[in-house]
Amino acid sequence: MPKEYDVCEVTCIDEEKVKRVQEQLAQQKTLEVAKIFKALADETRIKIAYALAVEEELCVCDVANIINASTATASHHLRLLRNLGLAKYRKEGKLVYYSLDDDCVKQLIEIAFKHQQEVTKVERS
């Protein structure tokens, strides 16, 4: 599709909608939400998040093996997910187990993968 079709040809602003959305946006922490998506935009971290969505809880050693990385690399990525509130951990003896922070994070991961599958279906049609 030519580029000119994806831009309005005239300026027409619905001031009520604009004001309503701007007021709602002002109440949101958009930078914090952007940080979540930035963290998940890394392929290694999305693999880890997916693994935790599937298995609910994994030790750092298991995560490292799943992503074919060292435990130090896995630990680094898990720590970043934890610092952003996407994952949590517990220590049991000498092992550290990670899980997604809550069901909202799990749903976010599941929805992202489901959406990707839908996009792929449309592209094939």
Side-chain angles (χ1 to χ4, degrees):
M1 187 177 284
K3 186 176 180 181
E4 62 271 3
Y5 289 110
D6 64 358
V7 178
C8 294
E9 293 181 30
V10 295
T11 301
C12 176
I13 299 168
D14 185 330
E15 292 187 26
E16 286 183 31
K17 284 183 183 178
V18 170
K19 184 178 180 184
R20 188 170 51 246
V21 173
Q22 285 177 332
E23 288 172 355
Q24 289 180 23
L25 269 174
Q27 303 297 316
Q28 302 302 318
K29 295 182 178 181
T30 54
L31 181 59
E32 297 306 310
V33 174
K35 287 178 184 177
I36 291 169
F37 284 101
K38 185 177 179 182
L40 294 174
D42 179 89
E43 186 179 14
T44 299
R45 287 191 288 275
I46 197 68
K47 285 178 181 179
I48 292 170
Y50 180 83
L52 293 174
V54 170
E55 282 300 320
E56 305 227 355
E57 185 178 71
L58 293 165
C59 80
V60 176
C61 303
D62 289 336
V63 170
N65 277 280
I66 289 167
I67 64 170
N68 295 315
S70 68
T71 54
T73 297
S75 182
H76 166 78
H77 287 292
L78 286 160
R79 193 174 312 111
L80 195 146
L81 292 172
R82 186 186 82 223
N83 289 343
L84 288 169
L86 298 173
K88 59 187 176 187
Y89 78 100
R90 68 179 182 84
K91 190 166 181 151
E92 189 175 299
K94 294 183 178 187
L95 299 176
V96 176
Y97 290 90
Y98 274 85
S99 59
L100 295 177
D101 190 61
D102 58 31
D103 200 49
C104 288
V105 178
K106 183 177 181 180
Q107 288 177 30
L108 182 65
I109 303 306
E110 290 171 345
I111 289 168
F113 277 90
K114 183 176 181 184
H115 175 71
Q116 186 278 323
Q117 290 169 353
E118 291 299 319
V119 169
T120 302
K121 285 181 190 175
V122 171
E123 289 172 354
R124 288 186 200 158
S125 308

